[in-house]
PDB file of all heavy atoms in Angstrom:
ATOM      1  N   PRO Z 769      23.965  11.279  32.559  1.00  0.00           N
ATOM      2  CA  PRO Z 769      24.973  11.995  31.765  1.00  0.00           C
ATOM      3  C   PRO Z 769      26.258  11.186  31.629  1.00  0.00           C
ATOM      4  O   PRO Z 769      26.721  10.563  32.585  1.00  0.00           O
ATOM      5  CB  PRO Z 769      25.196  13.282  32.569  1.00  0.00           C
ATOM      6  CG  PRO Z 769      23.946  13.443  33.391  1.00  0.00           C
ATOM      7  CD  PRO Z 769      23.508  12.057  33.718  1.00  0.00           C
ATOM      8  N   SER Z 770      26.850  11.193  30.439  1.00  0.00           N
ATOM      9  CA  SER Z 770      28.091  10.472  30.197  1.00  0.00           C
ATOM     10  C   SER Z 770      29.260  11.260  30.772  1.00  0.00           C
ATOM     11  O   SER Z 770      29.366  12.476  30.585  1.00  0.00           O
ATOM     12  CB  SER Z 770      28.295  10.262  28.695  1.00  0.00           C
ATOM     13  OG  SER Z 770      27.230   9.519  28.147  1.00  0.00           O
ATOM     14  N   CYS Z 771      30.154  10.567  31.480  1.00  0.00           N
ATOM     15  CA  CYS Z 771      31.305  11.218  32.101  1.00  0.00           C
ATOM     16  C   CYS Z 771      32.567  11.035  31.273  1.00  0.00           C
ATOM     17  O   CYS Z 771      33.639  11.484  31.650  1.00  0.00           O
ATOM     18  CB  CYS Z 771      31.526  10.694  33.519  1.00  0.00           C
ATOM     19  SG  CYS Z 771      31.756   8.908  33.595  1.00  0.00           S
ATOM     20  N   SER Z 772      32.456  10.362  30.119  1.00  0.00           N
ATOM     21  CA  SER Z 772      33.587  10.177  29.224  1.00  0.00           C
ATOM     22  C   SER Z 772      33.076   9.777  27.858  1.00  0.00           C
ATOM     23  O   SER Z 772      31.913   9.372  27.704  1.00  0.00           O
ATOM     24  CB  SER Z 772      34.540   9.100  29.753  1.00  0.00           C
ATOM     25  OG  SER Z 772      33.931   7.823  29.669  1.00  0.00           O
ATOM     26  N   THR Z 773      33.930   9.888  26.855  1.00  0.00           N
ATOM     27  CA  THR Z 773      33.548   9.471  25.514  1.00  0.00           C
ATOM     28  C   THR Z 773      33.283   7.976  25.468  1.00  0.00           C
ATOM     29  O   THR Z 773      32.355   7.506  24.797  1.00  0.00           O
ATOM     30  CB  THR Z 773      34.649   9.848  24.504  1.00  0.00           C
ATOM     31  OG1 THR Z 773      34.818  11.272  24.522  1.00  0.00           O
ATOM     32  CG2 THR Z 773      34.279   9.400  23.095  1.00  0.00           C
ATOM     33  N   ALA Z 774      34.088   7.203  26.211  1.00  0.00           N
ATOM     34  CA  ALA Z 774      33.897   5.751  26.257  1.00  0.00           C
ATOM     35  C   ALA Z 774      32.538   5.398  26.832  1.00  0.00           C
ATOM     36  O   ALA Z 774      31.843   4.509  26.327  1.00  0.00           O
ATOM     37  CB  ALA Z 774      35.004   5.093  27.069  1.00  0.00           C
ATOM     38  N   ALA Z 775      32.121   6.111  27.888  1.00  0.00           N
ATOM     39  CA  ALA Z 775      30.813   5.858  28.493  1.00  0.00           C
ATOM     40  C   ALA Z 775      29.694   6.232  27.532  1.00  0.00           C
ATOM     41  O   ALA Z 775      28.661   5.553  27.453  1.00  0.00           O
ATOM     42  CB  ALA Z 775      30.686   6.637  29.802  1.00  0.00           C
ATOM     43  N   ALA Z 776      29.885   7.322  26.794  1.00  0.00           N
ATOM     44  CA  ALA Z 776      28.871   7.742  25.828  1.00  0.00           C
ATOM     45  C   ALA Z 776      28.710   6.711  24.715  1.00  0.00           C
ATOM     46  O   ALA Z 776      27.595   6.387  24.301  1.00  0.00           O
ATOM     47  CB  ALA Z 776      29.249   9.101  25.237  1.00  0.00           C
ATOM     48  N   LEU Z 777      29.838   6.170  24.241  1.00  0.00           N
ATOM     49  CA  LEU Z 777      29.783   5.164  23.178  1.00  0.00           C
ATOM     50  C   LEU Z 777      29.184   3.852  23.672  1.00  0.00           C
ATOM     51  O   LEU Z 777      28.607   3.098  22.891  1.00  0.00           O
ATOM     52  CB  LEU Z 777      31.187   4.917  22.618  1.00  0.00           C
ATOM     53  CG  LEU Z 777      31.750   6.038  21.736  1.00  0.00           C
ATOM     54  CD1 LEU Z 777      33.218   5.783  21.430  1.00  0.00           C
ATOM     55  CD2 LEU Z 777      30.952   6.169  20.458  1.00  0.00           C
ATOM     56  N   ALA Z 778      29.303   3.577  24.967  1.00  0.00           N
ATOM     57  CA  ALA Z 778      28.710   2.362  25.523  1.00  0.00           C
ATOM     58  C   ALA Z 778      27.187   2.446  25.491  1.00  0.00           C
ATOM     59  O   ALA Z 778      26.501   1.428  25.385  1.00  0.00           O
ATOM     60  CB  ALA Z 778      29.198   2.137  26.950  1.00  0.00           C
ATOM     61  N   LYS Z 779      26.654   3.663  25.551  1.00  0.00           N
ATOM     62  CA  LYS Z 779      25.207   3.844  25.494  1.00  0.00           C
ATOM     63  C   LYS Z 779      24.696   3.929  24.064  1.00  0.00           C
ATOM     64  O   LYS Z 779      23.555   3.564  23.783  1.00  0.00           O
ATOM     65  CB  LYS Z 779      24.807   5.130  26.249  1.00  0.00           C
ATOM     66  CG  LYS Z 779      25.044   5.081  27.749  1.00  0.00           C
ATOM     67  CD  LYS Z 779      24.317   6.192  28.468  1.00  0.00           C
ATOM     68  CE  LYS Z 779      24.721   7.548  27.984  1.00  0.00           C
ATOM     69  NZ  LYS Z 779      24.042   8.642  28.723  1.00  0.00           N
ATOM     70  N   GLN Z 780      25.556   4.436  23.167  1.00  0.00           N
ATOM     71  CA  GLN Z 780      25.140   4.606  21.774  1.00  0.00           C
ATOM     72  C   GLN Z 780      26.373   4.523  20.888  1.00  0.00           C
ATOM     73  O   GLN Z 780      27.227   5.408  20.905  1.00  0.00           O
ATOM     74  CB  GLN Z 780      24.448   5.958  21.596  1.00  0.00           C
ATOM     75  CG  GLN Z 780      23.539   6.040  20.404  1.00  0.00           C
ATOM     76  CD  GLN Z 780      22.589   7.215  20.525  1.00  0.00           C
ATOM     77  OE1 GLN Z 780      22.931   8.335  20.147  1.00  0.00           O
ATOM     78  NE2 GLN Z 780      21.410   6.986  21.049  1.00  0.00           N
ATOM     79  N   ASP Z 781      26.463   3.449  20.124  1.00  0.00           N
ATOM     80  CA  ASP Z 781      27.656   3.189  19.348  1.00  0.00           C
ATOM     81  C   ASP Z 781      27.742   4.084  18.116  1.00  0.00           C
ATOM     82  O   ASP Z 781      26.738   4.643  17.666  1.00  0.00           O
ATOM     83  CB  ASP Z 781      27.697   1.715  18.929  1.00  0.00           C
ATOM     84  CG  ASP Z 781      29.115   1.199  18.733  1.00  0.00           C
ATOM     85  OD1 ASP Z 781      30.054   2.003  18.857  1.00  0.00           O
ATOM     86  OD2 ASP Z 781      29.270  -0.010  18.470  1.00  0.00           O
ATOM     87  N   PHE Z 782      28.955   4.189  17.588  1.00  0.00           N
ATOM     88  CA  PHE Z 782      29.198   5.020  16.413  1.00  0.00           C
ATOM     89  C   PHE Z 782      28.382   4.530  15.214  1.00  0.00           C
ATOM     90  O   PHE Z 782      28.340   3.332  14.932  1.00  0.00           O
ATOM     91  CB  PHE Z 782      30.690   4.989  16.057  1.00  0.00           C
ATOM     92  CG  PHE Z 782      31.042   5.782  14.840  1.00  0.00           C
ATOM     93  CD1 PHE Z 782      31.105   7.165  14.887  1.00  0.00           C
ATOM     94  CD2 PHE Z 782      31.283   5.152  13.630  1.00  0.00           C
ATOM     95  CE1 PHE Z 782      31.417   7.905  13.750  1.00  0.00           C
ATOM     96  CE2 PHE Z 782      31.597   5.879  12.487  1.00  0.00           C
ATOM     97  CZ  PHE Z 782      31.665   7.263  12.557  1.00  0.00           C
TER      98      PHE Z 782
END
Side-chain angles (χ1 to χ4, degrees):
S770 300
C771 57
S772 69
T773 299
L777 287 171
K779 293 195 302 182
Q780 202 163 86
D781 208 356
F782 178 76

